[in-house]
Amino acid sequence: MPTLLHEKRHGFHEGKIVCGVDEAGRGPLAGPVMAAAVILPAKLPAAIRREIRDSKKMSAQAREDLFEPLKQICRYAIAEASVAEIARFNILWASMLAMQRAVAQLGVTIDTALIDGNRIPPSLTCAAVAIISGDDKCLSIAAASILAKVTRDRFMQKLAEEHPGYGWERNAGYGTPEHLAALRQLGPTDWHRSGFTPVMQLELLTGT
Protein backbone atom coordinates (compact mmCIF):
# COMPACT_ATOMS: atom_id res chain seq x y z
CA MET A 1 0.00 0.00 0.00
CA PRO A 2 1.31 3.50 -0.74
CA THR A 3 2.41 5.65 2.19
CA LEU A 4 3.58 9.19 2.91
CA LEU A 5 7.17 8.06 3.54
CA HIS A 6 8.60 9.71 0.42
CA GLU A 7 6.63 12.91 0.98
CA LYS A 8 7.92 13.08 4.55
CA ARG A 9 11.51 12.58 3.39
CA HIS A 10 11.16 15.74 1.34
CA GLY A 11 9.63 17.90 4.06
CA PHE A 12 5.91 17.44 3.45
CA HIS A 13 5.09 17.70 7.18
CA GLU A 14 7.48 20.65 7.57
CA GLY A 15 5.64 22.92 5.17
CA LYS A 16 7.46 21.96 1.97
CA ILE A 17 5.36 21.72 -1.19
CA VAL A 18 5.66 18.18 -2.50
CA CYS A 19 3.68 16.87 -5.44
CA GLY A 20 3.23 13.39 -6.86
CA VAL A 21 3.17 12.95 -10.64
CA ASP A 22 2.01 10.05 -12.79
CA GLU A 23 0.81 9.44 -16.33
CA ALA A 24 -1.89 7.34 -17.94
CA GLY A 25 -2.02 6.04 -21.47
CA ARG A 26 1.50 5.15 -22.56
CA GLY A 27 0.44 1.78 -23.96
CA PRO A 28 -2.74 2.39 -26.00
CA LEU A 29 -2.85 2.50 -29.78
CA ALA A 30 -5.06 5.58 -29.80
CA GLY A 31 -5.60 8.80 -27.89
CA PRO A 32 -3.39 11.23 -26.00
CA VAL A 33 -1.21 10.45 -23.02
CA MET A 34 -2.30 12.27 -19.86
CA ALA A 35 -0.53 13.14 -16.64
CA ALA A 36 -1.64 14.43 -13.26
CA ALA A 37 0.26 16.26 -10.55
CA VAL A 38 -1.20 16.16 -7.03
CA ILE A 39 -0.41 17.97 -3.80
CA LEU A 40 -2.07 16.18 -0.91
CA PRO A 41 -3.55 18.18 1.98
CA ALA A 42 -1.64 18.25 5.26
CA LYS A 43 -4.52 16.39 6.88
CA LEU A 44 -5.73 13.66 4.57
CA PRO A 45 -9.08 12.15 5.67
CA ALA A 46 -8.52 8.57 6.79
CA ALA A 47 -11.50 7.31 4.81
CA ILE A 48 -9.91 8.59 1.59
CA ARG A 49 -6.33 7.74 2.48
CA ARG A 50 -7.02 4.04 2.97
CA GLU A 51 -8.65 3.78 -0.48
CA ILE A 52 -5.79 5.39 -2.44
CA ARG A 53 -3.58 2.96 -4.31
CA ASP A 54 -2.05 2.32 -7.71
CA SER A 55 -4.90 2.95 -10.14
CA LYS A 56 -4.02 -0.23 -12.05
CA LYS A 57 -4.89 -2.25 -8.95
CA MET A 58 -8.32 -0.65 -8.58
CA SER A 59 -11.58 -1.39 -10.32
CA ALA A 60 -12.99 1.25 -12.63
CA GLN A 61 -15.77 1.92 -10.13
CA ALA A 62 -13.33 2.33 -7.23
CA ARG A 63 -11.36 4.87 -9.25
CA GLU A 64 -14.53 6.74 -10.14
CA ASP A 65 -15.61 6.77 -6.49
CA LEU A 66 -12.36 8.47 -5.45
CA PHE A 67 -12.10 10.88 -8.35
CA GLU A 68 -14.29 13.71 -7.10
CA PRO A 69 -13.26 13.41 -3.41
CA LEU A 70 -9.59 13.66 -4.42
CA LYS A 71 -10.28 16.70 -6.59
CA GLN A 72 -12.08 18.37 -3.71
CA ILE A 73 -9.33 17.95 -1.12
CA CYS A 74 -6.16 18.12 -3.22
CA ARG A 75 -4.46 20.76 -5.28
CA TYR A 76 -4.06 19.13 -8.67
CA ALA A 77 -3.50 19.67 -12.37
CA ILE A 78 -4.08 17.36 -15.32
CA ALA A 79 -2.34 17.82 -18.67
CA GLU A 80 -1.83 15.88 -21.86
CA ALA A 81 0.45 15.36 -24.82
CA SER A 82 -1.38 14.94 -28.09
CA VAL A 83 -1.28 12.16 -30.66
CA ALA A 84 0.73 14.50 -32.89
CA GLU A 85 3.25 15.08 -30.11
CA ILE A 86 3.49 11.33 -29.48
CA ALA A 87 4.34 10.89 -33.18
CA ARG A 88 6.85 13.73 -33.08
CA PHE A 89 8.68 12.96 -29.84
CA ASN A 90 7.81 9.25 -29.21
CA ILE A 91 5.65 8.06 -26.34
CA LEU A 92 8.35 8.29 -23.66
CA TRP A 93 9.14 11.93 -24.27
CA ALA A 94 5.50 12.80 -24.85
CA SER A 95 4.79 11.33 -21.40
CA MET A 96 7.57 13.48 -19.96
CA LEU A 97 6.02 16.53 -21.65
CA ALA A 98 2.59 15.79 -20.18
CA MET A 99 4.12 15.40 -16.70
CA GLN A 100 6.03 18.67 -17.04
CA ARG A 101 2.85 20.47 -18.10
CA ALA A 102 0.89 19.06 -15.18
CA VAL A 103 3.48 20.27 -12.65
CA ALA A 104 3.62 23.71 -14.29
CA GLN A 105 -0.17 24.01 -14.21
CA LEU A 106 -0.33 23.51 -10.44
CA GLY A 107 0.28 27.24 -10.21
CA VAL A 108 2.48 27.12 -7.11
CA THR A 109 6.21 26.84 -6.49
CA ILE A 110 7.02 23.18 -5.94
CA ASP A 111 9.88 22.18 -3.66
CA THR A 112 10.02 18.56 -4.82
CA ALA A 113 8.17 16.58 -7.47
CA LEU A 114 7.94 12.84 -6.94
CA ILE A 115 7.81 11.20 -10.37
CA ASP A 116 6.57 7.70 -11.06
CA GLY A 117 9.14 5.66 -12.99
CA ASN A 118 12.87 5.87 -13.57
CA ARG A 119 13.11 9.16 -15.49
CA ILE A 120 12.61 12.79 -14.60
CA PRO A 121 11.07 15.20 -17.13
CA PRO A 122 14.01 17.34 -18.27
CA SER A 123 12.24 20.71 -18.23
CA LEU A 124 10.96 20.69 -14.66
CA THR A 125 11.82 23.88 -12.78
CA CYS A 126 11.90 22.20 -9.36
CA ALA A 127 13.81 19.43 -7.65
CA ALA A 128 12.52 16.01 -8.59
CA VAL A 129 12.95 12.38 -7.59
CA ALA A 130 12.09 9.39 -9.77
CA ILE A 131 10.51 6.49 -7.88
CA ILE A 132 10.21 3.14 -9.63
CA SER A 133 6.73 1.71 -9.02
CA GLY A 134 5.96 4.99 -7.28
CA ASP A 135 2.22 4.55 -7.75
CA ASP A 136 2.46 1.48 -5.52
CA LYS A 137 4.67 3.14 -2.89
CA CYS A 138 3.93 6.84 -2.70
CA LEU A 139 0.52 8.22 -1.74
CA SER A 140 0.64 11.41 -3.82
CA ILE A 141 1.80 9.51 -6.91
CA ALA A 142 -0.99 6.97 -6.40
CA ALA A 143 -3.51 9.82 -6.15
CA ALA A 144 -2.09 11.29 -9.37
CA SER A 145 -2.43 7.92 -11.08
CA ILE A 146 -6.14 7.84 -10.23
CA LEU A 147 -6.82 11.35 -11.51
CA ALA A 148 -4.88 10.76 -14.72
CA LYS A 149 -6.47 7.37 -15.39
CA VAL A 150 -10.08 8.44 -14.79
CA THR A 151 -9.64 11.60 -16.85
CA ARG A 152 -8.19 9.68 -19.77
CA ASP A 153 -10.78 6.90 -19.58
CA ARG A 154 -13.57 9.48 -19.65
CA PHE A 155 -11.92 11.22 -22.60
CA MET A 156 -11.76 7.95 -24.55
CA GLN A 157 -15.38 7.15 -23.68
CA LYS A 158 -16.42 10.50 -25.14
CA LEU A 159 -14.23 9.94 -28.18
CA ALA A 160 -15.89 6.55 -28.70
CA GLU A 161 -19.17 8.37 -29.40
CA GLU A 162 -17.51 10.12 -32.34
CA HIS A 163 -15.66 7.02 -33.54
CA PRO A 164 -17.87 3.99 -32.80
CA GLY A 165 -16.78 0.45 -33.47
CA TYR A 166 -13.33 0.43 -31.86
CA GLY A 167 -14.62 -0.22 -28.35
CA TRP A 168 -12.78 2.73 -26.83
CA GLU A 169 -15.49 3.06 -24.22
CA ARG A 170 -14.31 -0.33 -22.93
CA ASN A 171 -10.64 -0.61 -23.92
CA ALA A 172 -9.56 3.06 -23.63
CA GLY A 173 -7.59 2.67 -26.85
CA TYR A 174 -5.52 -0.32 -25.77
CA GLY A 175 -4.79 -3.02 -28.33
CA THR A 176 -7.44 -5.51 -27.29
CA PRO A 177 -8.66 -8.14 -29.79
CA GLU A 178 -11.81 -6.05 -30.26
CA HIS A 179 -9.80 -2.94 -31.05
CA LEU A 180 -7.38 -4.73 -33.36
CA ALA A 181 -10.23 -6.36 -35.30
CA ALA A 182 -11.97 -3.00 -35.72
CA LEU A 183 -8.70 -1.40 -36.78
CA ARG A 184 -8.34 -3.95 -39.59
CA GLN A 185 -11.97 -3.56 -40.61
CA LEU A 186 -12.48 0.19 -40.24
CA GLY A 187 -8.94 1.47 -40.63
CA PRO A 188 -7.13 4.01 -38.44
CA THR A 189 -8.57 7.33 -37.30
CA ASP A 190 -6.77 10.60 -36.70
CA TRP A 191 -6.64 9.56 -33.04
CA HIS A 192 -4.58 6.44 -33.72
CA ARG A 193 -0.85 6.57 -32.98
CA SER A 194 0.86 6.08 -36.32
CA GLY A 195 4.19 5.08 -34.78
CA PHE A 196 2.72 2.14 -32.87
CA THR A 197 3.33 -1.17 -34.63
CA PRO A 198 -0.25 -2.43 -35.33
CA VAL A 199 -1.27 0.99 -36.66
CA MET A 200 1.95 1.47 -38.64
CA GLN A 201 1.68 -1.97 -40.22
CA LEU A 202 -1.89 -1.29 -41.32
CA GLU A 203 -0.97 2.12 -42.73
CA LEU A 204 1.89 0.58 -44.71
CA LEU A 205 -0.41 -2.16 -45.99
CA THR A 206 -3.23 0.16 -47.05
CA GLY A 207 -1.22 3.25 -47.88
CA THR A 208 -3.29 5.40 -45.52
Side-chain angles (χ1 to χ4, degrees), residues 28-65:
L29 304 180
V33 60
M34 294 188 175
V38 172
I39 302 170
L40 296 174
K43 293 184 178 180
L44 185 62
I48 293 177
R49 176 173 176 168
R50 62 173 170 259
E51 298 299 325
I52 299 173
R53 63 198 68 197
D54 176 0
S55 64
K56 297 186 294 297
K57 297 183 178 180
M58 301 172 67
S59 69
Q61 188 59 58
R63 291 192 296 264
E64 285 283 348
D65 290 345

Side-chain angles (χ1 to χ4, degrees), residues 1-207:
M1 293 289 289
T3 71
L4 285 170
L5 177 62
H6 290 280
E7 288 87 349
K8 290 178 180 178
R9 284 176 178 169
H10 296 279
F12 176 69
H13 285 166
E14 299 166 6
K16 298 290 186 180
I17 306 299
V18 181
C19 70
V21 188
D22 198 9
E23 52 74 28
R26 279 182 63 166
L29 304 180
V33 60
M34 294 188 175
V38 172
I39 302 170
L40 296 174
K43 293 184 178 180
L44 185 62
I48 293 177
R49 176 173 176 168
R50 62 173 170 259
E51 298 299 325
I52 299 173
R53 63 198 68 197
D54 176 0
S55 64
K56 297 186 294 297
K57 297 183 178 180
M58 301 172 67
S59 69
Q61 188 59 58
R63 291 192 296 264
E64 285 283 348
D65 290 345
L66 268 183
F67 186 71
E68 291 301 331
L70 282 173
K71 287 172 62 179
Q72 290 172 11
I73 66 171
C74 299
R75 189 177 191 110
Y76 72 94
I78 301 170
E80 70 175 61
S82 67
V83 170
E85 288 170 326
I86 293 170
R88 180 180 178 186
F89 300 118
N90 77 40
I91 187 58
L92 171 62
W93 294 109
S95 298
M96 296 290 104
L97 182 59
M99 288 182 177
Q100 173 209 323
R101 288 170 173 165
V103 173
Q105 290 174 21
L106 283 170
V108 295
T109 300
I110 304 299
D111 291 301
T112 306
L114 306 176
I115 311 294
D116 182 54
N118 61 359
R119 291 177 181 265
I120 294 171
S123 298
L124 286 180
T125 58
C126 61
V129 178
I131 303 173
I132 296 173
S133 299
D135 46 8
D136 202 35
K137 301 173 182 176
C138 175
L139 211 61
S140 60
I141 293 179
S145 79
I146 295 167
L147 295 191
K149 173 66 173 167
V150 172
T151 300
R152 190 180 185 282
D153 284 354
R154 289 181 176 183
F155 181 87
M156 295 304 295
Q157 289 162 9
K158 186 67 175 177
L159 208 57
E161 298 174 7
E162 302 172 22
H163 299 276
Y166 297 94
W168 291 344
E169 67 276 19
R170 292 180 293 276
N171 60 49
Y174 282 87
T176 62
E178 174 190 30
H179 189 182
L180 292 172
L183 190 57
R184 290 189 293 269
Q185 181 180 359
L186 302 173
T189 69
D190 290 341
W191 290 96
H192 279 96
R193 300 175 180 179
S194 58
F196 280 46
T197 300
V199 181
M200 183 169 54
Q201 289 175 338
L202 184 62
E203 289 175 340
L204 289 172
L205 183 64
T206 62

